[in-house]
C-alpha cells in the first residue's frame, strides 16, 4: 500500500522563484545584479586544489633523504609531466645509470630532505556553479555566488533522486491514473522530462536511465524499486548526488499513488516548456 505525505508543498501556476547558487569554496563570481542568465550560464567558478601525490625518490634512488635535492632535476614550482625523467639512479663508477620517471603530472610542491619524498600537486579542478534557472541575477555574494530569480510555474515534490537537470516537459501517459512503464520510454523522450501518473516501474527507471531521458516526474515510486535501481538502500539521507543519468521526482510519496489532479493538469498545461529539476 502506498504512503502519502502532505506537508503543504507548493503547486503553483504562477510564482516568483529565487535560488541561491553558492560555491563550495571561495572563488570568482562571473555575473552582476541585473544580468539575464540561462539555466546553463556559469555564474561562479572556483578552483579546487589538485590531489597531492608522492614520489618516494630516496627509496627509488637508494640514497639518504638529505641527498634527494642533489639528484632531483627540478625545483619547487616547476611543472612536471607523466613519463618525465626526474632523476637518475646512480650506477657503478658513473655507468649504467637508470632513469626515475614521474607517474604524475602537475607542479612540484615540496622536495623534502627529511623524508626523501617529492610532492607533486596535480592540476586544479574547476568547479562551476550554473544559474539553474532561466532568469535574472538579483544579488551577488562576492567570492561565493549569486541569487537567481525567475517567474513561472513550480511543483515541489516530496522525494527525489538524481542531480540538477533541465529539459522540455513531455506528458508520457494519458491520465494521472496510468503507471509509467518501459513502454512509455520512446526514442523521442531523450533529452526530455517525462511526466507519469500513478507511479513508475523499475523497468521504466532503467530504460530512462539508459536512453537519455533527463527526468521523470511521477506520483510515487516503490522503495524496493529505488533500492534495486540504485544498487543500495539510501535509507534516511539527503539525496541528489546519486551517480545516475536521470532525475526522479515523486509528487505524492512512496508505493503506488495517483498524482494529484491539480499537479498533473498543471504539468500538462505547460508541456513542451523547459523546466529545471
Amino acid at each position: 500500500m502506498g504512503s502519502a505525505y502532505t506537508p503543504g508543498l507548493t503547486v503553483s501556476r504562477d510564482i516568483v522563484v529565487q535560488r541561491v547558487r553558492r560555491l563550495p569554496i571561495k572563488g570568482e563570481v562571473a555575473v552582476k545584479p541585473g544580468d539575464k542568465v540561462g539555466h546553463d550560464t556559469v555564474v561562479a567558478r572556483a578552483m579546487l586544489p589538485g590531489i597531492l601525490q608522492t614520489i618516494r625518490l630516496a627509496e627509488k634512488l637508494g640514497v639518504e633523504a638529505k641527498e634527494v635535492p642533489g639528484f632531483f632535476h627540478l625545483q619547487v614550482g616547476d611543472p612536471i609531466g607523466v613519463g618525465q625523467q626526474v632523476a637518475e639512479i646512480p650506477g657503478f663508477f658513473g655507468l649504467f645509470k637508470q632513469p626515475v620517471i614521474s607517474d604524475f603530472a602537475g607542479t612540484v610542491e615540496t622536495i623534502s630532505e627529511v623524508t626523501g619524498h617529492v610532492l607533486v600537486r596535480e592540476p586544479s579542478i574547476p568547479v562551476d556553479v550554473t544559474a539553474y534557472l532561466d532568469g535574472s541575477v538579483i544579488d551577488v555574494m562576492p567570492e561565493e555566488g549569486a541569487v537567481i530569480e525567475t517567474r513561472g510555474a513550480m511543483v515541489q515534490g516530496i522525494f527525489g533522486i538524481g542531480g540538477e537537470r533541465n529539459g522540455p516537459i513531455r506528458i508520457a501517459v494519458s491520465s494521472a491514473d496510468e503507471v509509467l512503464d518501459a513502454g512509455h520510454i520512446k526514442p523521442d523522450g531523450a533529452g526530455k522530462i517525462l511526466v507519469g501518473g500513478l507511479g513508475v516501474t523499475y523497468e521504466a527507471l532503467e530504460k530512462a536511465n539508459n536512453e537519455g531521458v533527463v527526468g521523470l516526474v511521477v506520483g510515487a515510486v516503490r522503495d524496493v524499486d529505488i533500492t534495486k535501481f540504485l544498487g543500495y538502500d539510501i535509507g534516511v539521507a539527503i539525496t541528489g548526488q546519486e551517480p545516475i543519468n536521470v532525475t526522479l521526482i515523486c509528487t505524492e510519496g512512496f508505493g503506488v499513488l495517483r498524482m494529484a489532479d491539480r499537479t498533473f493538469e498543471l504539468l500538462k498545461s505547460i508541456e513542451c516548456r523547459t523546466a529545471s529539476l
Side-chain angles (χ1 to χ4, degrees):
M1 186 173 179
S3 300
Y5 303 93
T6 55
L9 298 174
T10 299
V11 177
S12 175
R13 186 176 299 276
D14 184 17
I15 191 172
V16 174
V17 180
Q18 293 181 359
R19 288 291 178 267
V20 176
R21 310 298 290 162
R22 194 188 302 270
L23 289 165
I25 60 174
K26 287 191 175 183
E28 295 183 358
V29 178
V31 294
K32 60 184 184 301
D35 284 354
K36 300 294 184 183
V37 293
H39 61 264
D40 56 354
T41 301
V42 175
V43 299
R45 168 173 285 185
M47 301 300 290
L48 286 175
I51 298 171
L52 201 59
Q53 302 286 7
T54 302
I55 302 176
R56 302 178 183 277
L57 200 54
E59 180 180 319
K60 290 178 178 292
L61 292 172
V63 300
E64 293 185 15
K66 64 182 180 181
E67 298 179 86
V68 161
F71 286 97
F72 191 56
H73 294 170
L74 303 174
Q75 302 295 322
V76 171
D78 285 349
I80 185 172
V82 174
Q84 180 178 345
Q85 181 176 329
V86 296
E88 287 180 327
I89 298 174
F92 291 106
F93 306 110
L95 302 174
F96 309 112
K97 293 182 178 180
Q98 296 182 28
V100 176
I101 303 301
S102 172
D103 295 324
F104 314 109
T107 305
V108 178
E109 184 157 306
T110 304
I111 306 168
S112 176
E113 296 183 14
V114 176
T115 63
H117 296 168
V118 172
L119 301 184
V120 176
R121 178 74 66 179
E122 292 189 342
S124 298
I125 304 166
V127 177
D128 291 341
V129 172
T130 62
Y132 172 67
L133 302 172
D134 296 336
S136 302
V137 179
I138 63 168
D139 193 18
V140 166
M141 299 162 286
E143 300 183 317
E144 293 185 26
V147 181
I148 312 301
E149 181 179 275
T150 194
R151 190 178 192 110
M154 183 170 76
V155 172
Q156 283 186 314
I158 189 69
F159 170 79
I161 56 173
E164 294 177 350
R165 291 186 169 93
N166 303 78
I169 296 170
R170 178 173 174 271
I171 308 302
V173 296
S174 58
S175 73
D177 293 309
E178 190 174 356
V179 175
L180 183 70
D181 60 28
H184 293 108
I185 311 298
K186 304 182 185 304
D188 62 358
K192 295 183 175 64
I193 298 168
L194 304 186
V195 177
L198 196 62
V200 60
T201 64
Y202 163 75
E203 290 75 18
L205 287 171
E206 276 290 318
K207 191 172 181 181
N209 190 62
N210 294 330
E211 298 199 9
V213 174
V214 168
L216 301 173
V217 181
V218 298
V221 66
R222 299 195 312 161
D223 56 354
V224 293
D225 289 336
I226 287 292
T227 300
K228 185 177 180 181
F229 176 57
L230 295 177
Y232 59 89
D233 189 350
I234 61 174
V236 179
I238 296 174
T239 61
Q241 302 299 319
E242 296 78 17
I244 53 179
N245 300 322
V246 64
T247 296
L248 170 70
I249 292 179
C250 300
T251 62
E252 313 303 321
F254 294 93
V256 180
L257 295 169
R258 186 177 187 273
M259 184 181 290
D261 286 335
R262 180 185 177 195
T263 304
F264 187 80
E265 291 303 319
L266 172 57
L267 293 171
K268 191 174 179 180
S269 73
I270 56 174
E271 186 172 15
C272 299
R273 299 291 294 272
T274 298
S276 299
L277 298 180

